[in-house]
Amino acid sequence: MEFNLEGQKNKIKTRKGYTLVGLAIAIIVTAVILILVITLFGASIAAWWNSRGEASPNINCDTWAGAPAGYQDKITAAANKAGIQPALLGAIYLSEHNNNWYTPPGGSWTADTPNEGNQGPFQIPNKDDYAEFLDKEGFKISSVGRSDWWNDFDTAAYAAAVDIKNGFKWANKPINSSDEQAIVFAGLWYNTGPVAAQEWANGGYNLSVSPSSKPDWGNPGTQQYAKRTWTNFQKLNLGCKAFTPSAGASYIQACQGGTTTTSSDGSIIVIDPGHGTPNNHAGATGEPGIALEVGLAVTNQLRAKGYTVYMTRGDPNGGGIDTSAAPGNNDQQTDEDNKRRALFANSKGAALIFRIHADSSSASTPHQGYYFTYPTYPGSSRDGHAGPSQDTAQKSEAIAKALSAFMATGQGLTKQSDPKSDTAGTQYGRNLVGSSWSTVPSALIEMFDMTSSNATSSSYKVKMATGIANAIASAVPLGTSSQAQTATSTTPGCKIAGLALEVVKDVAAKECSKGDGCRNNPSKYYDSVAKNNLSIYAQFLQNSNYKSWGFSGSDRCYGKFPGQAAEATGFSDCARFIGYLLRQTGADASFPAGGSSDQHDYATEHKDKYDVKKFHNISELQPGDIVWTEGHIEIYIGENTAFPGFTAASASLCNHGPIMLPQTDSGMTTRIRVLK
């Protein structure tokens, strides 16, 4: 290895057994050093061999500026295969080539420049010691020539990566530590050898102190090499992140401690009489009192029907929202008050928060009728909060329209015919603060104009309360309705949906850069195979772990690589994608690895593990639900920030690998939900 530092060329000795300091060194001292090196180097080879097959960090980084085409992909693939950080292997490469992305003359490493010693892209010393190991690892050294395998970039990168990993293990250091001492140690280990690196570590990581086995430590090249390994690592490590299957759920709105729905023997309803608290400065004259009057009547009737009912304020049984002083001006205090109402309903796991209000207008003829409002997606409220999720908005719309339709039939109530409400007596596009913070369905009724005769009619208000209670019982039936429960990144559905997101992201970063799952383009997938640039999902499908699942069906389009008779991977098989998700998250280790019909039948037969039901609307789905119809299967994700507007994930045989879809495919009829 050769370095040009401050105009001087300083040759640094590599790990070739030992360093000859000069004839003045006693033969006995030389022999001792030789024995130490052989012992330690032999131990490193043994540890290297024993370390094969360990879990990879699976890290990907933002584009490395200046790196020649293909270098970053090859370095990343080798590092992940060995189990070290790509930025560290890249830093070693740069340090070996005087901080440059060196490319040999003519682009061929077999024509390496003389001063590089014909040691290839990673300046591999002691080549013969690794040849047998690399052969067994499947690199087919014979195909690149046993005499010059170190000139093959992929093979040399992997050899260097495992050597670096072994240095961490030998020194009993965390393999993927990113602290300065660990990175400098890796540089010394790779450049000067295990003896000097360990002596330096034992001496307190002091670059000004020479290891006893490295008397030429004063050569500034050695110290500079170690220091610039750290500098290069910092530069390359920006934007690097690991493929972490559990991280995907952090993108899904419904998995952030909000609520999802699950079958229940009862329903929880939250009644929210509008205004009427110290922080709430809105409302028409007399509205808070009438809202509470009707709210209490609705609550009593629902409780009599068997519902569990909470009130945001005014409940004789106690409870309700926090009414302590809120900061800010009147509008800000009102917004905070309405936010607290939404969070209160969320915390109760409500099937519905029903908000009771009365309208106010300056019209000469005030309206007598009711209308409902519901939030839309996407949207944001006055306080700037974006919400609710598409799933919650769709459920809110469905319930609001069902409530309005019920109240218009036989209840003796007047439906508003105002132009701002639609024919169903509902008004959409009202993303109020209360609804924007809701993770449960919400519906708001404006009962009548506060200056109308109905506002002062006791009998009409009784009919209104009865109509509302009956409408809620119809739209959210007791015993068959959905009851909300808290959903987090650790609940089964969120773990499944989260892994699906991470797989799609990884596939888009590797095989299918357009994010289209290499749609109708197997050659692009094959190209990734040739470049050893496969996603974690594709890597898994090719290894023996997948075959041990006992499923050997072929993917006739995206798996049998040109010129090979190897079994297909199943990259574009919808069922194998679902099988991977269920098994890898630990949801069900026995779930069929493939075959959508087999998976449906299995779930149907195991009622202790799965809830299998027909569904008619996307609002009935929650993250992690498996969606099935004859011949196809996919996964529902829900609203997420990783792929805004895309709520389902799927592969499709002979069409594409895992991708996100704007919505669940039309024609899907059955949802399969994993139970706890």
Side-chain angles (χ1 to χ4, degrees):
M1 309 174 197
E2 189 165 283
F3 301 86
N4 191 347
L5 300 172
E6 299 177 358
Q8 300 179 0
K9 291 188 176 181
N10 302 293
K11 187 69 175 178
I12 300 178
K13 303 298 184 181
T14 59
R15 199 164 51 254
K16 299 192 177 189
Y18 57 88
T19 303
L20 292 177
V21 179
L23 295 176
I25 298 179
I27 295 177
I28 186 65
V29 174
T30 305
V32 169
I33 294 175
L34 176 61
I35 292 171
L36 282 172
V37 173
I38 292 173
T39 301
L40 293 169
F41 196 74
S44 74
I45 293 293
W48 184 9
W49 173 258
N50 291 330
S51 71
R52 70 193 191 284
E54 292 188 3
S56 163
N58 301 317
I59 297 172
N60 291 293
C61 305
D62 292 343
T63 301
W64 292 342
Y71 276 33
Q72 181 173 352
D73 289 343
K74 290 175 179 292
I75 290 173
T76 298
N80 280 329
K81 181 176 176 63
I84 69 168
Q85 300 175 88
L88 176 54
L89 184 57
I92 291 292
Y93 179 91
L94 286 173
S95 295
E96 289 291 340
H97 298 289
N98 202 24
N99 287 351
N100 294 313
W101 285 110
Y102 174 77
T103 301
S108 173
W109 284 103
T110 57
D112 206 355
T113 54
N115 63 13
E116 297 265 343
N118 191 28
Q119 295 179 333
F122 285 88
Q123 301 295 279
I124 300 292
N126 305 298
K127 306 173 182 69
D128 293 339
D129 294 319
Y130 301 116
E132 182 179 356
F133 164 74
L134 291 169
D135 248 348
K136 291 181 179 180
E137 282 290 283
F139 275 92
K140 309 297 182 186
I141 289 179
S142 58
S143 67
V144 297
R146 182 173 290 277
S147 63
D148 62 0
W149 62 264
W150 50 90
N151 287 320
D152 177 70
F153 200 108
D154 295 316
T155 307
Y158 182 58
V162 181
D163 190 17
I164 294 166
K165 177 181 180 180
N166 181 58
F168 281 104
K169 295 184 68 174
W170 185 77
N172 196 29
K173 295 182 179 300
I175 290 174
N176 285 300
S177 173
S178 295
D179 69 82
E180 182 176 5
Q181 290 183 349
I183 300 303
V184 170
F185 174 86
L188 290 174
W189 167 277
Y190 192 78
N191 182 254
T192 65
V195 176
Q198 188 60 32
E199 287 175 347
W200 175 72
N202 292 339
Y205 301 93
N206 188 344
L207 283 172
S208 65
V209 178
S210 301
S212 59
S213 63
K214 190 69 176 176
D216 63 344
W217 184 259
N219 181 334
T222 302
Q223 296 183 33
Q224 290 296 331
Y225 182 102
K227 291 178 179 179
R228 69 188 183 196
T229 299
W230 168 243
T231 301
N232 288 328
F233 173 80
Q234 290 178 292
K235 177 175 63 178
L236 299 183
N237 199 45
L238 294 174
C240 296
K241 59 183 179 181
F243 174 90
T244 49
S246 61
S250 66
Y251 298 104
I252 303 172
Q253 294 179 12
C255 295
Q256 307 313 303
T259 59
T260 57
T261 54
T262 180
S263 297
S264 171
D265 291 331
S267 294
I268 298 175
I269 305 295
V270 170
I271 299 298
D272 176 32
H275 314 295
T277 54
N279 293 310
N280 202 302
H281 303 281
T285 302
E287 181 185 0
I290 288 180
L292 180 59
E293 177 185 352
V294 174
L296 283 168
V298 171
T299 296
N300 291 335
Q301 292 187 47
L302 287 175
R303 286 173 176 169
K305 295 176 185 291
Y307 288 83
T308 299
V309 184
Y310 297 94
M311 297 184 68
T312 58
R313 68 179 183 94
D315 191 343
N317 295 335
I321 66 169
D322 175 15
T323 59
S324 61
N329 58 34
N330 285 354
D331 284 348
Q332 291 170 328
Q333 291 174 349
T334 299
D335 290 346
E336 174 63 23
D337 181 82
N338 287 320
K339 173 183 174 181
R340 291 177 183 179
R341 294 170 192 246
L343 298 181
F344 176 80
N346 297 346
S347 71
K348 299 302 181 184
L352 172 68
I353 175 173
F354 189 85
R355 309 177 65 196
I356 301 175
H357 288 256
D359 214 350
S360 62
S361 71
S362 58
S364 57
T365 305
H367 69 81
Q368 303 285 337
Y370 69 85
Y371 64 91
F372 284 84
T373 70
Y374 58 85
T376 55
Y377 174 88
S380 61
S381 53
R382 185 174 67 180
D383 66 347
H385 181 71
S389 70
Q390 184 178 34
D391 180 65
T392 300
Q394 289 174 329
K395 290 175 180 176
S396 298
E397 177 181 357
I399 291 175
K401 289 185 174 180
L403 292 169
S404 182
F406 182 91
M407 290 178 62
T409 58
Q411 302 299 307
L413 300 171
T414 304
K415 184 172 70 173
Q416 166 68 321
S417 59
D418 190 283
K420 66 183 178 181
S421 62
D422 61 23
T423 56
T426 56
Q427 183 183 353
Y428 50 85
R430 294 286 297 277
N431 285 65
L432 304 172
V433 173
S435 59
S436 73
W437 285 94
S438 288
T439 58
V440 300
S442 64
L444 184 151
I445 187 173
E446 296 284 1
M447 298 180 289
F448 34 64
D449 193 299
M450 278 301 298
T451 60
S452 70
S453 58
N454 282 337
T456 58
S457 171
S458 298
S459 61
Y460 189 83
K461 286 182 284 188
V462 169
K463 286 196 295 184
M464 176 61 71
T466 301
I468 291 173
N470 290 338
I472 291 175
S474 174
V476 190
L478 182 67
T480 59
S481 64
S482 295
Q483 178 176 328
Q485 67 172 10
T486 300
T488 68
S489 60
T490 60
T491 54
C494 288
K495 289 172 67 177
I496 294 167
L499 177 56
L501 268 186
E502 286 295 303
V503 168
V504 172
K505 287 174 59 187
D506 197 31
V507 166
K510 298 293 183 59
E511 293 91 357
C512 312
S513 57
K514 293 182 179 179
D516 61 355
C518 300
R519 184 181 292 275
N520 301 321
N521 191 6
S523 62
K524 186 173 179 61
Y525 177 66
Y526 301 149
D527 186 52
S528 291
V529 175
K531 292 180 178 178
N532 195 24
N533 187 37
L534 290 175
S535 62
I536 303 307
Y537 178 61
Q539 290 180 40
F540 181 84
L541 291 175
Q542 291 189 82
N543 70 25
S544 57
N545 288 332
Y546 177 70
K547 295 175 183 176
S548 71
W549 286 1
F551 187 82
S552 59
S554 65
D555 180 341
R556 59 186 178 271
C557 306
Y558 285 77
K560 190 173 181 180
F561 310 137
Q564 297 184 14
E567 178 190 327
T569 68
F571 180 73
S572 74
D573 189 317
C574 62
R576 277 189 256 189
F577 178 47
I578 301 301
Y580 175 84
L581 300 176
L582 269 288
R583 288 188 175 217
Q584 290 298 95
T585 57
D588 187 353
S590 301
F591 193 78
S596 59
S597 293
D598 291 340
Q599 292 171 338
H600 171 266
D601 293 345
Y602 174 88
T604 302
E605 293 167 3
H606 292 78
K607 300 184 184 301
D608 59 322
K609 297 181 179 180
Y610 301 93
D611 179 31
V612 182
K613 288 185 177 179
K614 297 287 185 182
F615 76 97
H616 306 284
N617 191 291
I618 193 174
S619 65
E620 300 172 49
L621 301 177
Q622 66 184 44
D625 278 353
I626 301 164
V627 187
W628 178 90
T629 194
E630 189 66 43
H632 186 59
I633 195 166
E634 57 193 42
I635 200 82
Y636 179 72
I637 306 296
E639 284 304 311
N640 63 91
T641 56
F643 298 92
F646 291 76
T647 60
S650 172
S652 178
L653 191 62
C654 291
N655 290 318
H656 58 76
I659 62 172
M660 290 296 292
L661 304 171
Q663 60 184 18
T664 299
D665 287 335
S666 60
M668 305 302 283
T669 59
T670 303
R671 66 111 171 110
I672 302 169
R673 182 168 299 163
V674 179
L675 302 175
K676 284 188 177 181

